[in-house]
Amino acid sequence: MTARILFAAAIGLMATLGTVPAVADALDDIIARKTIRVAVPTDYPPFGSVGADMQPRGMDIDVANLIGEKLGVKVELVPVTAPNRVAYLQSGKTDLTISSLGKTEERAKVIDFSIAYSPFFDAVFGKKEPPVKDYADLSDKTISVTRGSMQDKELEDLAPKAVVKRFEDNNSTIAAFMSGQVEMFASGTPVAAAIKRRNPDLDLELKIVLANSPCYVGVVKGETKLLDKVNAIIREAKASGEIDRLSVKWLGAPAGELPE
């Protein structure tokens, strides 16, 4: 009995003196391995796409590289789609998600969010006819949307009588409209602008705005030190004008005031 008590006391003393190894956090792991794994889109221009050189490019890619540069580590870009970008973060496949990610109460239960780094308006787009004056005008209209996206939830809430066709990635969502499978599609305004630039003769207009949903960096729940560091980097980039520069480069206008 005495030996057992002495052994337990020794273990307690080791813990008190700090000789029992502490569990490393995500930021420590990133610095130690000298690499940060970031989930990014490659099917959602101008936030993320593949260029002529077969390399990822876009607003989200530049923000990922900015964070890696400020941390002094290599950036490993991990391509994701809207349905799996949160799951990759939760399962430990990535350290951050920078994928035109909007903040919702449901998502906030499973991941943490940085301050906003980019503006983003969700809307429904389609041909000039028929006109859409309010959400009721979307009733019985076929609309493509990417499953699990902010636009998916917004259509469900705002236009419950619309005929929503869900696709697993953004390219398929857009292709459904381009091929005539649906009458309209729901996406971000920068995405529609990029489509119009590539197809200037396309009969395409904004039908109705669904929401103003800025983009945030997704961080594993409870990784406070990493979250604080990401926020500090974004705040510094805002103050220096770097965020506005990237927004002009990819979205055509400064980011302006973004929510904390």
Side-chain angles (χ1 to χ4, degrees):
M1 178 69 73
T2 302
R4 275 188 234 157
I5 293 172
L6 290 174
F7 179 75
I11 292 296
L13 180 61
M14 287 172 64
T16 302
L17 295 176
T19 54
V20 177
V23 178
D25 66 16
L27 182 58
D28 290 340
D29 288 343
I30 290 165
I31 300 301
R33 84 169 93 97
K34 300 181 180 179
T35 302
I36 186 167
R37 303 162 302 166
V38 185
V40 296
T42 54
D43 65 342
Y44 206 52
F47 289 91
S49 61
V50 177
D53 58 357
M54 301 307 295
Q55 296 300 311
R57 61 195 300 271
M59 179 73 177
D60 290 346
I61 282 74
D62 280 0
V63 171
N65 287 328
L66 172 66
I67 290 174
E69 177 187 343
K70 294 299 182 181
L71 291 177
V73 298
K74 178 183 176 183
V75 177
E76 179 185 332
L77 300 175
V78 181
V80 292
T81 60
N84 66 23
R85 55 190 168 171
V86 172
Y88 267 46
L89 187 62
Q90 288 181 282
S91 63
K93 293 180 180 179
T94 60
D95 303 302
L96 301 175
T97 288
I98 306 179
S99 181
S100 59
L101 188 66
K103 185 190 295 187
T104 67
E105 290 184 10
E106 184 178 354
R107 288 174 182 167
K109 293 176 183 177
V110 295
I111 64 172
D112 288 333
F113 290 90
S114 72
I115 61 175
Y117 68 86
S118 174
F120 193 100
F121 286 91
D122 294 335
V124 174
F125 302 87
K127 296 180 179 180
K128 292 181 180 180
E129 295 295 335
V132 174
K133 295 181 180 179
D134 53 38
Y135 300 122
D137 289 337
L138 297 177
S139 298
D140 301 322
K141 302 295 189 296
T142 54
I143 307 172
S144 62
V145 69
T146 303
R147 189 185 308 277
S149 65
M150 292 287 289
Q151 301 88 26
D152 189 357
K153 175 64 175 171
E154 289 153 4
L155 278 176
E156 184 179 311
D157 292 341
L158 299 173
K161 294 184 179 181
V163 181
V164 178
K165 304 290 186 181
R166 294 175 173 85
F167 294 86
E168 296 305 314
D169 58 67
N170 296 303
N171 284 338
S172 300
T173 296
I174 303 304
F177 171 74
M178 300 291 282
S179 64
Q181 295 179 53
V182 296
E183 299 169 83
M184 305 173 190
F185 67 94
S187 186
T189 50
V191 176
I195 296 170
K196 189 66 175 177
R197 283 196 298 271
R198 292 197 303 267
N199 305 273
D201 296 328
L202 181 66
D203 182 6
L204 180 67
E205 70 171 17
L206 189 153
K207 308 302 291 185
I208 192 168
V209 171
L210 296 173
N212 178 8
S213 177
C215 302
Y216 302 80
V217 177
V219 183
V220 174
K221 198 77 175 172
E223 290 293 350
T224 306
K225 192 156 76 169
L226 177 58
L227 178 61
D228 289 346
K229 188 64 177 178
V230 169
N231 281 339
I233 291 170
I234 295 174
R235 287 193 181 100
E236 180 185 346
K238 285 181 178 180
S240 70
E242 181 66 7
I243 290 293
D244 277 334
R245 186 188 72 79
L246 292 178
S247 185
V248 169
K249 174 184 176 182
W250 293 110
L251 309 180
E257 292 295 323
L258 293 170
E260 288 275 317

